[in-house]
Amino acid sequence: MIHAGLTHFLVISVALFSLGIYGVITRKNAVMVLMGIELILNSANINFIAFARFGNFGLQGQIIALFIIVLAAAEAAIALAIVLNIYKNLSNINVDEMDSLKD
Amino acid sequence: MHLPYLSLITFLPIVGMIIVLALPKEQGKTMKITTLLITGIQVVLAVFLLSNYNYSLGGIYDQASFQFVEKFRWIDIENFSWIGRIKVDYFLGIDGISTPLVLLTAIVTFIATLSSWNINKSLKGYFALFLLLDTGMMGVFVSLDFFLFYIFWELMLLPMYFLIGIWGGPRREYAAIKFFLYTLLGSIFILIVMIGLYFSTTEPMADGTKAFTFNLLAMMDPNNATATGILSALNPANLRFAAYIALFAGFAIKIPMFPFHTWLPDAHVEAPTPISVILAGVLLKMGTYGILRVSFPIFPEITKQLVWYIALFGMINIIYGAFCAMAQRDFKKLIAYSSVSHMGYVLLGMAALNTMGISGAILQMFNHGTITAMLFLIVGVIYDRAHTREIDGFGGLAVQMPVYTGFVTVAFFAAIGLPGLSGFISEAFVFLGAFGVRLIRVVTIVSTLGIVLGAGYMLWTLQRVYLGKLNEKWSGLKDLNFREYAMFIPLSAIVIFLGVYPSAMLDLMNTSVNSMVQFMQNIQVYYSSINVF
Amino acid sequence: MTENLMINIAVIILFLPFLGFVVTLLLGSKIKKIYYFENFVLFLGLAGSIIIAFGKLTSFDATTITSEFTWINLGNTPIMGEIKINLGILIDNISTLMMVVVMLISFLVHIFSIEYMRGDPRYNRYFAYLGLFTFSMSGIVLTHNILMMYIFWELVGVSSYLLIGFWFEKKSAADAGKKAFIVNRIGDIGMFIGILILFTTYHTFTFDDIFQQISQGHLPFDSGFWLTITGLLIFAGAIGKSAQVPLHVWLPDAMEGPTPVSALIHAATMVAAGVYLVVRIFGILTADAMLIIAVIGALSAFIPATIALTQNDIKKVLAYSTVSQLGYMIMALGVGAFKFAFFHLITHAFFKACLFLGSGSVIHAMHHEQDIRNMGGLRKKMPITYYTFLIASVAISGVPLTSGFLSKDGILAGSYAFANLTGHYLFPIVGFFVAMLTAFYMFRLIILTFHGEPRDKEKYEHAHESKFTMAMPLVVLSVLSIFFWYTPNPVNPEDGWVLSDWIKAPQLYTPENTRYEFMVPDEHTNVQPGSEEIMYSETYVEAMHAIHIPAMILSLLIAGLGILLAYLFYQWKRIDVGKLVEKFKGLYNFSFNKWYFDEAYDATAVNGTLGLSRLLGRFDLKIIDGIVNGTAYITKGFSTFIGKFDNVVVDGLVNFMAYLSGFIGLVFRRFQTGKVQTYLVFVLVSVVILLFIFKSF
């Protein structure tokens, strides 16, 4: 059996992160963008836990991972609320049309 | 403690100005009467000062022998950024040098008010500025603090600019701006020297410390000089010589001394008659007064060095002014140049630095003030009636206006220096004083040519305008009216009175002149004894 | 009569004419007859002056009475010491005599003028001016100091200006007045500088103080040379006033004034003032100064005499004769004949006043015709005028039994004696020659005016003898031209009271080494200053005595010759004047045109001054003012340039920065899409780039 080392965790984390970024940048649907963000957060979680397991940091990594999970939930709740409101105002959730930041 | 007479006489016109400004626009007559009243009170005050004047006090450098002194701290700022303490005194006082000029200012302004009766363009502004000008002139002659002196000096510049520039003749803007720039240039010189002197003079304060001061009397005392001030005689690298030249130039512009005189003919020609009267009667004296009051006692050692040049410029003024006057075709311009010539006598007399010369110079200031005022009024009378000043266009007016011509004769002969009229004794004193100084004797002899040249251009003018056949064009001209009598009679009376009894004026200034001459002598000895050069 | 009383009377008669002047001038237009007041005042003045003269000459013959007050007191001054200017009155024999002459002639001129000037629009003012003139002249006569002399000197100048230019509607009259004043002023400058020197040296103006200090050896600038110069400078004033060459040009022109004025100016006032001044300062004249004065006097005697020969205007002839006679007086002073100079001043005053008033009478009768070519034969019409004129002419020609003979003879003898002592023989030659010329032109005048046939019939018919007020002065003056007023012996003036008692020999104050030798008193003769003899030393007295008889005979012959020639030329017509003129055309023109003095002065001095004034006027306008305006122009140009620079360069730079940032903004605004995703891409790219920049691996 191949011994799963730190590198493997990091690879998965990078892959997840890249997928997340890709999702955030390319998706037009706001919900999909949010899912991309979740992916990014989770890739960070994997990193924390992997470093906590292989590094010499005690429980800090795990604690932060738990913290991030809670945070992700909260973020998702707020973000979905925003998306809902946008939908109410613009009757779609197409990210491309949301450019009021330009003004 | 007496009333602050000097403040009263100085700021009374300001009160008048406020009244004039408060009056509605249509009340032109009231404005005239207000101004006349104010200037009349000024004359009364001046006569009052004269009657209470103590003839035995000298003044000049000694505060105790100044009269009607008012002195208190006006501006006093401690720790003013890097300069330290700034203090300016409100310091007024008169002595034998300024009293005649205060009197002159009061009289000439009063006469000029009378002659302003014909002005009918925006009276409110005119009389307001006129009164402001009055304050400025009076202030210059009574202030003994350089800063205050300078403020008054500048104060009279502005109203003059507008008075020429708004109520003047066709080229008034040009003349006004020329006058303004010229005198402003002079003021800048004075300002620079004033600041230089401020940082070179300290005065002991009540608490024992020493502070910089603008006090003119303190500046005269070499004990007050700081060791390092740029205009302090104690400083080996001082700039006193350059400062003297700058200060002199500043005052010379006002006199006006050749070659700074060209603003004068233009300003006179364009200015309305009363303003010409004031300009020639009072303003020109400020230059020579400044030299006497400021340049001479503060820089005695340099004065001594430059006496010859001062006399030389006096001579040039006399001769050159006379020649230029002879060449003029405009009556008023001719009179203006005659002023240049007559102010040359003042310079020459001052250069003598002895009692007769300086007495003659001050007397000449007073006499020139009254005589030239008359001459400009004469031109004004004729210009009012004929609306031209071309000398060759007249002729034979003596037949048409005999009384007027009588006054003209008095004024012209006074200007020529006919004995029995006031011009003679001052010119004679100037020459007697200047001739007594070996150094400037030759200059004096050349200057006597002015006697003939003066007679030449004056009599020639008298002939061209008043004698000969009456030019039919002017057969409708009327002789003097009551108001014009009121202008000419007091001036003629003064001219004749001082011609017969010059002691009235000479006694007034004698103690001061003597103490000034003595002071200049002593302090020169002092300066040569410290010999820092 | 006490001294105080005399002083008081003197002050009163000094100011009486002034009072007359003021009153007549101010009330002239209101009260028609106010001129009587002026005449009355003058009468009082005359009376007063006679009283003073009487008192002085009888009671105080040898003393000098002065009275002074301090006019200006400067006290003890730092550099110049004690300065006090005193004015005062000096009564000595000379001033009292002069005062009588002045007052008498002025009074007679006043009387004469009443008729002569009648109908003039400014009748009263004329009398006022006469009063001013008399006042000024009295001041000169009575003063005891040179400043007051100068003051009244100038007042005489101005009153002459007013009187000569009295008919100022005529341009020539106005010109003449102006000319008189200005030419006089030229001389006055000299006098003024002389006064400056005296005051600087002695710190006083009083004659007596100055003289005393000079006699103590205190000289101006400590040199005899400067004493000479001072004397000459003061004499320059006399050159102007007494119309000496080269400043005589004003006097003939002054004939533009009313004729009585000419009488006043030329007889007792104004021109006499110059001689009087030299008389006053005679004591401080050095030998060199006297020589120059004598030369000027001789020239002034000669040149105008030659001019008078050819003039046709009756007044011009008399005018030139005045200059010539004044030249005599000045020359007499120059050669030391002091007494005779002053004596001639007095006698000349009377007969010249008579001549001028006589000519005025003629002119009045001929309705202002002055050209003698249009006269003739007036003897029958105007006998009084004729005989008085004749007596005066005889007097001026120096015929015995007249006053003129006495004084002129003395002058000629004095110049002759002077020549014998010093060798300057030109003075007597000129003197005698001019005496002949004088006799000639005076009789030419008489013959052409009064003798022969009338040449202008119409005017002749209207001519008539003058009224009493005009004739009376003529008679008085002509009577005064006869010898017995002055001396009982018609050939020797020194026998008379005027020269032996009244006019004293002058005191000399100059250092002895600056005098002529004959003016230094001999040790042994013991001549006191102020002695009654006209003498300075034994030598001079001897010379005068030796010359007296020959000079008298010679002058008699000369005068006779002159009169004879005049008769030959004009009365008997033995010699054709026209032909003679043709023959000496050049000389005639030279004389007729007055030696071209006026032309020369016009060409040089007058035009030079005017030209210079125009030049300087233009210089002032173009150069001095040009510099000022040029400075203004350059400043304005510079400021325009700076303005442009500011607009284009400085402001341009600022605007450029704005454009630049705008441009940059234009580029970068493209990046701001407002889309979160785009931003994210930028962030990523940036992170990657940063990563590469800061990579440490």
Side-chain angles (χ1 to χ4, degrees):
Chain A
M1 171 173 161
I2 301 162
H3 182 72
L6 180 62
T7 316
H8 302 95
F9 287 101
L10 289 185
V11 168
I12 287 171
S13 166
V14 165
L16 266 179
F17 182 78
S18 302
L19 284 170
I21 288 289
Y22 178 75
V24 168
I25 290 172
T26 54
R27 293 291 130 175
K28 283 192 165 119
N29 194 317
V31 179
M32 295 305 282
V33 172
L34 282 179
M35 288 170 73
I37 292 172
E38 291 300 322
L39 286 181
I40 293 169
L41 287 171
N42 283 324
S43 75
N45 270 353
I46 290 170
N47 260 15
F48 275 117
I49 290 166
F51 279 111
R53 168 72 183 77
F54 293 101
N56 201 9
F57 300 108
L59 285 174
Q60 285 166 0
Q62 281 90 331
I63 289 168
I64 286 181
L66 280 173
F67 188 64
I68 289 176
I69 288 166
V70 174
L71 195 120
E75 180 253 311
I78 293 171
L80 280 171
I82 291 173
V83 170
L84 264 173
N85 272 312
I86 287 174
Y87 180 75
K88 266 185 195 161
N89 280 331
L90 302 178
S91 38
N92 70 45
I93 47 171
N94 191 347
V95 183
D96 276 356
E97 286 169 29
M98 289 179 233
D99 59 353
S100 54
L101 270 180
K102 198 165 131 186
D103 303 324
Chain B
M1 185 63 199
H2 55 72
L3 279 169
Y5 293 112
L6 292 181
S7 297
L8 214 58
I9 200 170
T10 308
F11 292 108
L12 194 66
I14 292 280
V15 177
M17 184 179 92
I18 292 165
I19 297 173
V20 167
L21 286 177
L23 285 170
K25 216 164 155 189
E26 304 78 44
Q27 298 277 351
K29 192 98 184 163
T30 325
M31 288 174 198
K32 285 174 184 170
I33 290 168
T34 312
T35 314
L36 193 66
L37 266 178
I38 295 283
T39 50
I41 296 172
Q42 243 185 336
V43 174
V44 173
L45 272 174
V47 172
F48 175 81
L49 287 179
L50 201 63
S51 61
N52 284 303
Y53 185 83
N54 183 346
Y55 284 41
S56 60
L57 292 179
I60 305 293
Y61 57 92
D62 173 27
Q63 193 189 324
S65 57
F66 270 93
Q67 309 192 27
F68 303 101
V69 172
E70 295 164 33
K71 186 179 185 183
F72 53 84
R73 188 63 32 84
W74 180 34
I75 299 172
D76 192 352
I77 308 168
E78 299 212 32
N79 301 324
F80 183 81
S81 73
W82 52 273
I83 297 172
R85 183 168 182 174
I86 277 204
K87 97 182 169 51
V88 179
D89 284 343
Y90 180 83
F91 185 15
L92 307 181
I94 50 175
D95 63 357
I97 293 179
S98 42
T99 313
L101 295 169
V102 168
L103 188 64
L104 176 72
T105 309
I107 293 169
V108 169
T109 317
F110 180 73
I111 302 283
T113 314
L114 277 177
S115 115
S116 302
W117 235 250
N118 282 352
I119 303 277
N120 44 22
K121 180 171 156 190
S122 45
L123 287 172
K124 194 169 183 169
Y126 177 84
F127 282 105
L129 288 169
F130 185 90
L131 288 163
L132 185 64
L133 177 69
D134 191 6
T135 292
M137 295 186 301
M138 210 48 115
V140 167
F141 291 131
V142 298
S143 49
L144 292 175
D145 187 279
F146 208 157
F147 195 83
L148 203 59
F149 178 91
Y150 186 78
I151 287 177
F152 283 121
W153 182 278
E154 291 292 294
L155 183 63
M156 102 221 142
L157 195 57
L158 202 73
M160 206 60 186
Y161 171 73
F162 287 114
L163 285 170
I164 298 175
I166 296 177
W167 287 270
R171 287 176 75 221
R172 52 178 176 253
E173 282 92 355
Y174 170 76
I177 199 79
K178 196 168 177 181
F179 165 79
F180 190 79
L181 287 181
Y182 238 128
T183 35
L184 199 66
L185 180 73
S187 306
I188 288 167
F189 285 133
I190 299 170
L191 181 68
I192 293 168
V193 176
M194 177 177 93
I195 293 169
L197 280 169
Y198 177 74
F199 288 116
S200 309
T201 316
T202 53
E203 192 184 31
M205 305 300 297
D207 54 4
T209 57
K210 287 193 151 202
F212 290 129
T213 179
F214 282 112
N215 187 337
L216 278 173
L217 308 188
M219 288 174 177
M220 293 174 197
D221 187 350
N223 296 323
N224 287 336
T226 60
T228 52
I230 51 162
L231 297 184
S232 154
L234 302 174
N235 179 359
N238 67 49
L239 295 173
R240 282 172 75 84
F241 192 83
Y244 186 84
I245 301 283
L247 192 61
F248 195 85
F251 290 129
I253 285 172
K254 206 76 166 192
I255 296 174
M257 187 182 85
F258 176 89
F260 304 126
H261 64 279
T262 54
W263 62 266
L264 183 85
D266 282 312
H268 270 310
V269 168
E270 299 309 326
T273 304
I275 302 309
S276 284
V277 168
I278 286 191
L279 190 61
V282 182
L283 255 67
L284 303 192
K285 275 86 220 164
M286 291 181 175
T288 40
Y289 174 77
I291 293 173
L292 267 182
R293 172 69 75 210
V294 182
S295 297
F296 274 21
I298 294 183
F299 300 94
E301 80 288 12
I302 299 163
T303 305
K304 189 79 176 173
Q305 288 173 41
L306 294 178
V307 156
W308 191 81
Y309 295 95
I310 299 174
L312 182 73
F313 275 109
M315 181 196 96
I316 293 176
N317 257 34
I318 294 171
I319 307 269
Y320 184 85
F323 272 117
C324 285
M326 209 179 279
Q328 300 309 318
R329 292 215 183 83
D330 184 319
F331 200 167
K332 208 169 182 186
K333 217 165 184 174
L334 184 141
I335 303 295
Y337 273 109
S338 86
S339 280
V340 174
S341 181
H342 285 127
M343 291 309 283
Y345 291 108
V346 181
L347 274 175
L348 182 64
M350 289 194 308
L353 284 182
N354 56 25
T355 307
M356 277 197 122
I358 293 182
S359 300
I362 301 172
L363 193 58
Q364 172 77 356
M365 285 190 224
F366 188 88
N367 291 341
H368 177 254
T370 46
I371 294 169
T372 311
M374 250 177 117
L375 292 175
F376 277 112
L377 289 173
I378 282 165
V379 181
V381 164
I382 204 174
Y383 187 66
D384 277 350
R385 287 163 172 69
H387 303 290
T388 172
R389 290 187 305 253
E390 194 72 19
I391 292 176
D392 295 324
F394 292 107
L397 291 186
V399 184
Q400 190 64 32
M401 309 165 77
V403 179
Y404 167 63
T405 310
F407 286 116
V408 169
T409 314
V410 171
F412 273 36
F413 276 102
I416 292 172
L418 184 80
L421 302 174
S422 61
F424 166 72
I425 200 70
S426 49
E427 280 177 28
F429 261 52
V430 163
F431 283 126
L432 287 167
F435 194 82
V437 181
R438 199 190 189 86
L439 186 65
I440 59 175
R441 196 162 281 159
V442 177
V443 173
T444 311
I445 290 175
V446 179
S447 303
T448 53
L449 265 184
I451 299 178
V452 172
L453 294 175
Y457 67 79
M458 276 303 191
L459 292 189
W460 195 28
T461 312
L462 192 66
Q463 187 197 2
R464 282 181 293 172
V465 178
Y466 300 97
L467 306 185
K469 252 203 169 52
L470 178 67
N471 188 339
E472 285 309 316
K473 205 160 55 164
W474 311 122
S475 56
L477 298 191
K478 292 211 169 51
D479 211 335
L480 300 185
N481 59 29
F482 175 73
R483 182 179 56 82
E484 286 157 344
Y485 270 110
M487 304 184 315
F488 282 116
I489 287 177
L491 287 175
S492 317
I494 292 171
V495 164
I496 294 170
F497 175 70
L498 283 183
V500 178
Y501 186 62
S503 294
M505 206 43 90
L506 286 169
D507 287 349
L508 180 69
M509 60 181 81
N510 190 29
T511 319
S512 289
V513 173
N514 277 344
S515 75
M516 169 144 185
V517 172
Q518 190 66 56
F519 173 75
M520 296 283 288
Q521 284 287 95
N522 296 346
I523 203 153
Q524 267 156 24
V525 173
Y526 174 84
Y527 273 117
S528 52
S529 72
I530 58 173
N531 198 16
V532 284
F533 310 110
Chain C
M1 182 169 286
T2 62
E3 297 191 6
N4 263 340
L5 182 63
M6 282 167 66
I7 290 290
N8 288 338
I9 297 178
V11 173
I12 289 169
I13 60 171
L14 171 61
F15 283 101
L16 270 177
F18 186 68
L19 177 76
F21 162 66
V22 174
V23 170
T24 317
L25 188 72
L26 293 184
L27 301 180
S29 53
K30 305 267 178 343
I31 306 170
K32 279 274 171 292
K33 301 234 176 251
I34 194 75
Y35 63 92
Y36 281 122
F37 178 75
E38 169 69 24
N39 282 294
F40 175 65
V41 151
L42 248 286
F43 177 73
L44 289 183
L46 175 63
S49 68
I50 290 172
I51 291 170
I52 295 181
F54 182 77
K56 173 75 178 77
L57 297 173
T58 54
S59 319
F60 300 95
D61 186 32
T63 51
T64 317
I65 305 166
T66 58
S67 163
E68 61 180 22
F69 72 100
T70 305
W71 188 40
I72 294 172
N73 186 357
L74 294 185
N76 196 10
T77 65
I79 297 177
M80 307 176 90
E82 186 81 13
I83 292 180
K84 258 190 196 167
I85 298 177
N86 291 335
L87 298 188
I89 281 191
L90 167 77
I91 300 179
D92 61 0
N93 290 356
I94 286 177
S95 66
T96 48
L97 284 176
M98 194 68 200
M99 206 56 207
V100 172
V101 175
V102 169
M103 281 296 176
L104 177 60
I105 290 183
S106 178
F107 175 65
L108 292 176
V109 166
H110 273 74
I111 300 289
F112 188 88
S113 303
I114 292 178
E115 189 57 40
Y116 187 86
M117 294 300 285
R118 198 173 289 286
D120 194 276
R122 291 187 292 273
Y123 191 64
N124 281 328
R125 207 185 309 166
Y126 170 81
F127 282 96
Y129 291 167
L130 282 186
L132 180 65
F133 210 143
T134 313
F135 164 68
S136 320
M137 189 61 202
S138 313
I140 290 183
V141 173
L142 287 173
T143 175
H144 90 314
N145 65 77
I146 196 155
L147 181 72
M148 194 166 141
M149 178 83 96
Y150 183 80
I151 289 174
F152 283 99
W153 194 263
E154 292 289 311
L155 287 178
V156 164
V158 75
S159 34
S160 75
Y161 173 81
L162 294 172
L163 278 173
I164 295 171
F166 184 71
W167 288 320
F168 57 76
E169 291 94 336
K170 263 198 307 186
K171 185 173 185 307
S172 56
D175 274 338
K178 186 184 69 179
K179 187 170 174 183
F181 193 86
I182 293 174
V183 170
N184 267 299
R185 273 246 158 164
I186 293 171
D188 294 350
I189 287 194
M191 181 174 171
F192 190 65
I193 296 175
I195 293 174
L196 291 180
I197 294 177
L198 286 178
F199 184 79
T200 305
T201 317
Y202 304 112
H203 284 197
T204 174
F205 293 109
T206 312
F207 285 126
D208 205 39
D209 295 348
I210 294 171
F211 294 167
Q212 290 314 321
Q213 291 195 48
I214 291 178
S215 67
Q216 284 157 18
H218 182 198
L219 300 182
F221 311 126
D222 296 317
S223 85
F225 171 73
W226 280 104
L227 187 60
T228 306
I229 295 291
T230 310
L232 285 176
L233 282 170
I234 293 178
F235 172 64
I239 295 182
K241 271 282 179 289
S242 286
Q244 299 295 293
V245 173
L247 295 182
H248 66 283
V249 288
W250 65 268
L251 193 136
D253 287 29
M255 293 300 119
E256 289 293 339
T259 308
V261 170
S262 307
L264 192 58
I265 292 179
H266 294 82
T269 62
M270 189 132 178
V271 295
V275 180
Y276 188 79
L277 172 68
V278 183
V279 166
R280 274 270 168 260
I281 61 157
F282 186 77
I284 64 165
L285 295 176
T286 61
D288 298 336
M290 282 175 69
L291 187 63
I292 292 172
I293 289 173
V295 169
I296 299 263
L299 282 176
S300 308
F302 177 68
I303 294 175
T306 60
I307 297 173
L309 295 177
T310 55
Q311 300 303 310
N312 290 323
D313 184 322
I314 184 168
K315 287 178 74 182
K316 284 262 159 82
V317 176
L318 292 176
Y320 280 108
S321 100
T322 304
V323 183
S324 174
Q325 296 300 312
L326 288 162
Y328 260 125
M329 298 171 208
I330 297 288
M331 184 175 83
L333 288 166
V335 300
F338 173 86
K339 277 182 157 185
F340 289 108
F342 186 67
F343 187 35
H344 196 57
L345 183 61
I346 295 175
T347 58
H348 172 259
F350 292 131
F351 57 67
K352 185 49 65 65
C354 182
L355 287 172
F356 265 110
L357 293 183
S359 77
S361 175
V362 170
I363 292 167
H364 193 60
M366 297 289 281
H367 298 282
H368 293 274
E369 174 60 76
Q370 298 192 7
D371 195 329
I372 49 175
R373 286 170 301 187
N374 298 332
M375 297 178 182
L378 286 172
R379 178 170 50 170
K380 294 185 201 78
K381 283 270 186 178
M382 312 176 71
I384 302 177
T385 308
Y386 170 64
Y387 285 109
T388 53
F389 202 91
L390 183 66
I391 293 171
S393 298
V394 168
I396 198 176
S397 307
V399 174
L401 301 181
T402 62
S403 62
F405 170 74
L406 300 170
S407 54
K408 205 176 206 175
D409 181 44
I411 291 176
L412 292 173
S415 63
Y416 206 160
F418 176 79
N420 278 343
L421 290 166
T422 59
H424 295 296
Y425 278 98
L426 219 50
F427 294 125
I429 291 173
V430 167
F432 283 111
F433 186 60
V434 170
M436 187 189 76
L437 293 180
T438 310
F440 176 79
Y441 64 69
M442 282 318 295
F443 273 85
R444 169 178 176 264
L445 191 62
I446 286 202
I447 292 164
L448 286 178
T449 311
F450 294 102
H451 295 184
E453 292 302 309
R455 283 177 288 276
D456 189 333
K457 284 274 194 285
E458 195 185 336
K459 282 197 171 138
Y460 176 79
E461 293 304 324
H462 289 100
H464 53 87
E465 182 57 275
S466 301
K467 285 187 186 158
F468 172 74
T469 48
M470 280 171 77
M472 185 274 282
L474 294 176
V475 175
V476 171
L477 288 167
S478 63
V479 169
L480 282 169
S481 306
I482 297 171
F483 75 98
F484 52 73
W485 297 97
Y486 310 96
T487 169
N489 179 352
V491 292
N492 188 3
E494 297 194 45
D495 287 351
W497 37 88
V498 175
L499 286 186
S500 59
D501 294 339
W502 293 354
I503 309 176
K504 310 286 183 200
Q507 293 192 28
L508 299 179
Y509 306 96
T510 45
E512 294 192 353
N513 60 1
T514 62
R515 298 183 200 172
Y516 285 117
E517 245 169 66
F518 66 81
M519 295 179 89
V520 180
D522 303 323
E523 302 270 328
H524 54 89
T525 45
N526 216 2
V527 177
Q528 295 300 320
S531 99
E532 294 173 12
E533 285 288 309
I534 168 159
M535 66 161 83
Y536 304 101
S537 66
E538 199 65 28
T539 3
Y540 188 74
V541 177
E542 276 167 16
M544 277 298 273
H545 276 299
I547 223 67
H548 183 66
I549 301 295
M552 191 168 70
I553 292 167
L554 196 56
S555 74
L556 250 176
L557 288 176
I558 290 263
L561 181 65
I563 296 171
L564 184 72
L565 280 175
Y567 268 85
L568 279 176
F569 273 52
Y570 298 101
Q571 182 78 13
W572 305 322
K573 303 227 163 80
R574 289 297 164 87
I575 299 164
D576 191 335
V577 186
K579 269 189 186 158
L580 209 64
V581 167
E582 278 306 311
K583 209 163 180 185
F584 297 100
K585 192 82 190 157
L587 276 177
Y588 177 81
N589 280 339
F590 196 58
S591 157
F592 187 72
N593 290 311
K594 307 146 196 169
W595 289 41
Y596 299 100
F597 266 104
D598 280 324
E599 286 78 3
Y601 287 164
D602 274 345
T604 54
V606 178
N607 283 340
T609 311
L610 290 181
L612 187 61
S613 86
R614 274 194 293 271
L615 188 74
L616 284 182
R618 221 169 294 149
F619 172 78
D620 198 63
L621 200 66
K622 300 282 182 228
I623 311 285
I624 304 274
D625 210 24
I627 291 173
V628 175
N629 283 340
T631 315
Y633 188 77
I634 291 171
T635 315
K636 232 154 96 183
F638 185 67
S639 66
T640 317
F641 171 72
I642 292 288
K644 281 264 156 58
F645 180 80
D646 195 58
N647 251 343
V648 176
V649 181
V650 179
D651 211 25
L653 216 61
V654 174
N655 284 344
F656 174 72
M657 288 311 284
Y659 280 130
L660 191 67
S661 31
F663 178 72
I664 293 171
L666 215 62
V667 174
F668 280 90
R669 72 194 290 180
R670 296 267 166 245
F671 294 104
Q672 195 191 357
T673 56
K675 289 174 192 148
V676 183
Q677 287 165 323
T678 329
Y679 297 161
L680 217 57
V681 171
F682 292 148
V683 171
L684 270 178
V685 172
S686 315
V687 168
V688 170
I689 289 168
L690 288 173
L691 213 61
F692 272 99
I693 290 172
F694 295 107
K695 65 173 183 183
S696 53
F697 43 88

